[in-house]
PDB file of all heavy atoms in Angstrom:
ATOM      1  N   ARG A 222      -7.598  24.779  14.703  1.00  0.00           N
ATOM      2  CA  ARG A 222      -7.638  23.502  15.405  1.00  0.00           C
ATOM      3  C   ARG A 222      -9.009  23.262  16.010  1.00  0.00           C
ATOM      4  O   ARG A 222      -9.633  24.185  16.539  1.00  0.00           O
ATOM      5  CB  ARG A 222      -6.605  23.507  16.526  1.00  0.00           C
ATOM      6  CG  ARG A 222      -5.174  23.512  16.053  1.00  0.00           C
ATOM      7  CD  ARG A 222      -4.242  23.705  17.222  1.00  0.00           C
ATOM      8  NE  ARG A 222      -4.464  22.668  18.226  1.00  0.00           N
ATOM      9  CZ  ARG A 222      -3.488  22.062  18.853  1.00  0.00           C
ATOM     10  NH1 ARG A 222      -2.225  22.363  18.571  1.00  0.00           N
ATOM     11  NH2 ARG A 222      -3.747  21.164  19.780  1.00  0.00           N
ATOM     12  N   ALA A 279       5.519  -2.196  51.314  1.00  0.00           N
ATOM     13  CA  ALA A 279       4.836  -3.388  51.833  1.00  0.00           C
ATOM     14  C   ALA A 279       3.369  -3.425  51.443  1.00  0.00           C
ATOM     15  O   ALA A 279       2.728  -4.472  51.448  1.00  0.00           O
ATOM     16  CB  ALA A 279       4.965  -3.424  53.354  1.00  0.00           C
ATOM     17  N   GLU A 317      -5.075  18.955  52.234  1.00  0.00           N
ATOM     18  CA  GLU A 317      -3.672  19.195  51.913  1.00  0.00           C
ATOM     19  C   GLU A 317      -2.823  19.445  53.144  1.00  0.00           C
ATOM     20  O   GLU A 317      -1.684  18.969  53.232  1.00  0.00           O
ATOM     21  CB  GLU A 317      -3.588  20.402  50.986  1.00  0.00           C
ATOM     22  CG  GLU A 317      -2.527  20.257  49.925  1.00  0.00           C
ATOM     23  CD  GLU A 317      -2.338  21.536  49.138  1.00  0.00           C
ATOM     24  OE1 GLU A 317      -3.349  22.122  48.724  1.00  0.00           O
ATOM     25  OE2 GLU A 317      -1.164  21.936  48.976  1.00  0.00           O
ATOM     26  N   ALA A 319      -3.206  18.414  56.222  1.00  0.00           N
ATOM     27  CA  ALA A 319      -2.958  17.176  56.962  1.00  0.00           C
ATOM     28  C   ALA A 319      -1.932  16.333  56.236  1.00  0.00           C
ATOM     29  O   ALA A 319      -1.046  15.735  56.856  1.00  0.00           O
ATOM     30  CB  ALA A 319      -4.271  16.402  57.123  1.00  0.00           C
ATOM     31  N   HIS A 352      23.050   0.232  41.632  1.00  0.00           N
ATOM     32  CA  HIS A 352      22.150  -0.897  41.407  1.00  0.00           C
ATOM     33  C   HIS A 352      22.985  -2.160  41.272  1.00  0.00           C
ATOM     34  O   HIS A 352      24.182  -2.098  40.995  1.00  0.00           O
ATOM     35  CB  HIS A 352      21.303  -0.682  40.153  1.00  0.00           C
ATOM     36  CG  HIS A 352      20.360   0.469  40.264  1.00  0.00           C
ATOM     37  ND1 HIS A 352      19.195   0.408  41.002  1.00  0.00           N
ATOM     38  CD2 HIS A 352      20.415   1.711  39.742  1.00  0.00           C
ATOM     39  CE1 HIS A 352      18.584   1.575  40.929  1.00  0.00           C
ATOM     40  NE2 HIS A 352      19.301   2.379  40.182  1.00  0.00           N
ATOM     41  N   VAL A 359      23.818   0.307  30.511  1.00  0.00           N
ATOM     42  CA  VAL A 359      23.675  -0.260  29.165  1.00  0.00           C
ATOM     43  C   VAL A 359      24.803   0.257  28.282  1.00  0.00           C
ATOM     44  O   VAL A 359      25.367   1.323  28.549  1.00  0.00           O
ATOM     45  CB  VAL A 359      22.285   0.123  28.577  1.00  0.00           C
ATOM     46  CG1 VAL A 359      22.222   1.613  28.283  1.00  0.00           C
ATOM     47  CG2 VAL A 359      21.971  -0.664  27.338  1.00  0.00           C
ATOM     48  N   PRO A 386      24.001  19.506  29.556  1.00  0.00           N
ATOM     49  CA  PRO A 386      23.440  19.349  30.903  1.00  0.00           C
ATOM     50  C   PRO A 386      22.016  18.794  30.906  1.00  0.00           C
ATOM     51  O   PRO A 386      21.462  18.480  29.853  1.00  0.00           O
ATOM     52  CB  PRO A 386      23.414  20.796  31.403  1.00  0.00           C
ATOM     53  CG  PRO A 386      23.131  21.593  30.156  1.00  0.00           C
ATOM     54  CD  PRO A 386      23.729  20.842  29.002  1.00  0.00           C
ATOM     55  N   VAL A 435      -8.162  -2.073  34.730  1.00  0.00           N
ATOM     56  CA  VAL A 435      -7.627  -0.720  34.862  1.00  0.00           C
ATOM     57  C   VAL A 435      -8.074   0.096  33.660  1.00  0.00           C
ATOM     58  O   VAL A 435      -7.885  -0.314  32.517  1.00  0.00           O
ATOM     59  CB  VAL A 435      -6.089  -0.748  34.924  1.00  0.00           C
ATOM     60  CG1 VAL A 435      -5.520   0.671  34.952  1.00  0.00           C
ATOM     61  CG2 VAL A 435      -5.621  -1.519  36.146  1.00  0.00           C
ATOM     62  N   ALA A 472      -6.366  11.723  44.612  1.00  0.00           N
ATOM     63  CA  ALA A 472      -5.676  12.474  43.562  1.00  0.00           C
ATOM     64  C   ALA A 472      -4.343  12.987  44.042  1.00  0.00           C
ATOM     65  O   ALA A 472      -4.137  13.273  45.219  1.00  0.00           O
ATOM     66  CB  ALA A 472      -6.542  13.638  43.087  1.00  0.00           C
ATOM     67  N   THR A 505      35.882  11.738   6.424  1.00  0.00           N
ATOM     68  CA  THR A 505      36.396  10.394   6.151  1.00  0.00           C
ATOM     69  C   THR A 505      36.168   9.428   7.296  1.00  0.00           C
ATOM     70  O   THR A 505      36.129   8.216   7.104  1.00  0.00           O
ATOM     71  CB  THR A 505      37.903  10.439   5.871  1.00  0.00           C
ATOM     72  OG1 THR A 505      38.549  11.031   7.007  1.00  0.00           O
ATOM     73  CG2 THR A 505      38.196  11.243   4.623  1.00  0.00           C
ATOM     74  N   GLN A 605      22.280   2.045   6.842  1.00  0.00           N
ATOM     75  CA  GLN A 605      20.909   1.944   6.355  1.00  0.00           C
ATOM     76  C   GLN A 605      20.811   2.703   5.045  1.00  0.00           C
ATOM     77  O   GLN A 605      21.231   3.863   4.936  1.00  0.00           O
ATOM     78  CB  GLN A 605      19.932   2.546   7.369  1.00  0.00           C
ATOM     79  CG  GLN A 605      18.498   2.611   6.889  1.00  0.00           C
ATOM     80  CD  GLN A 605      17.537   3.200   7.924  1.00  0.00           C
ATOM     81  OE1 GLN A 605      17.935   3.504   9.045  1.00  0.00           O
ATOM     82  NE2 GLN A 605      16.292   3.355   7.540  1.00  0.00           N
ATOM     83  N   ARG A 640      27.675  40.855  15.811  1.00  0.00           N
ATOM     84  CA  ARG A 640      26.713  39.868  15.291  1.00  0.00           C
ATOM     85  C   ARG A 640      27.418  38.706  14.613  1.00  0.00           C
ATOM     86  O   ARG A 640      28.547  38.838  14.146  1.00  0.00           O
ATOM     87  CB  ARG A 640      25.771  40.544  14.302  1.00  0.00           C
ATOM     88  CG  ARG A 640      24.822  41.495  14.993  1.00  0.00           C
ATOM     89  CD  ARG A 640      23.566  41.696  14.210  1.00  0.00           C
ATOM     90  NE  ARG A 640      22.610  42.463  15.008  1.00  0.00           N
ATOM     91  CZ  ARG A 640      21.347  42.663  14.678  1.00  0.00           C
ATOM     92  NH1 ARG A 640      20.878  42.167  13.552  1.00  0.00           N
ATOM     93  NH2 ARG A 640      20.552  43.363  15.462  1.00  0.00           N
ATOM     94  N   SER A 661       0.512   1.039  14.985  1.00  0.00           N
ATOM     95  CA  SER A 661      -0.465   1.936  15.585  1.00  0.00           C
ATOM     96  C   SER A 661      -1.859   1.530  15.139  1.00  0.00           C
ATOM     97  O   SER A 661      -2.028   0.867  14.116  1.00  0.00           O
ATOM     98  CB  SER A 661      -0.179   3.381  15.171  1.00  0.00           C
ATOM     99  OG  SER A 661      -0.862   4.280  16.016  1.00  0.00           O
ATOM    100  N   ASN A 668     -21.590   7.791  12.628  1.00  0.00           N
ATOM    101  CA  ASN A 668     -22.802   7.836  13.424  1.00  0.00           C
ATOM    102  C   ASN A 668     -24.020   7.994  12.524  1.00  0.00           C
ATOM    103  O   ASN A 668     -23.908   8.407  11.380  1.00  0.00           O
ATOM    104  CB  ASN A 668     -22.732   8.991  14.431  1.00  0.00           C
ATOM    105  CG  ASN A 668     -21.571   8.819  15.388  1.00  0.00           C
ATOM    106  OD1 ASN A 668     -21.420   7.777  16.025  1.00  0.00           O
ATOM    107  ND2 ASN A 668     -20.717   9.832  15.470  1.00  0.00           N
ATOM    108  N   SER A 774     -25.504  15.979  -9.334  1.00  0.00           N
ATOM    109  CA  SER A 774     -26.767  16.335  -8.679  1.00  0.00           C
ATOM    110  C   SER A 774     -27.382  15.109  -8.018  1.00  0.00           C
ATOM    111  O   SER A 774     -28.223  15.224  -7.135  1.00  0.00           O
ATOM    112  CB  SER A 774     -27.739  16.926  -9.705  1.00  0.00           C
ATOM    113  OG  SER A 774     -28.135  15.909 -10.628  1.00  0.00           O
ATOM    114  N   ASP A 807      21.988  -5.428  13.702  1.00  0.00           N
ATOM    115  CA  ASP A 807      22.912  -6.392  14.295  1.00  0.00           C
ATOM    116  C   ASP A 807      23.530  -5.749  15.529  1.00  0.00           C
ATOM    117  O   ASP A 807      24.292  -4.796  15.403  1.00  0.00           O
ATOM    118  CB  ASP A 807      23.984  -6.737  13.252  1.00  0.00           C
ATOM    119  CG  ASP A 807      25.080  -7.620  13.818  1.00  0.00           C
ATOM    120  OD1 ASP A 807      25.032  -7.948  15.027  1.00  0.00           O
ATOM    121  OD2 ASP A 807      25.985  -7.986  13.049  1.00  0.00           O
ATOM    122  N   THR A 810      27.503  -5.089  15.517  1.00  0.00           N
ATOM    123  CA  THR A 810      28.065  -3.982  14.752  1.00  0.00           C
ATOM    124  C   THR A 810      27.234  -2.719  14.864  1.00  0.00           C
ATOM    125  O   THR A 810      27.700  -1.645  14.524  1.00  0.00           O
ATOM    126  CB  THR A 810      28.135  -4.338  13.253  1.00  0.00           C
ATOM    127  OG1 THR A 810      26.802  -4.693  12.823  1.00  0.00           O
ATOM    128  CG2 THR A 810      29.065  -5.520  13.022  1.00  0.00           C
ATOM    129  N   GLY A 835      28.541  39.771  27.861  1.00  0.00           N
ATOM    130  CA  GLY A 835      28.426  38.364  27.492  1.00  0.00           C
ATOM    131  C   GLY A 835      27.007  37.951  27.127  1.00  0.00           C
ATOM    132  O   GLY A 835      26.762  36.800  26.786  1.00  0.00           O
TER     133      GLY A 835
END
Side-chain angles (χ1 to χ4, degrees):
Chain A
R222 292 172 57 138
E317 218 188 313
H352 295 284
V359 69
V435 176
T505 57
Q605 174 179 356
R640 290 205 172 189
S661 196
N668 299 307
S774 68
D807 174 358
T810 56

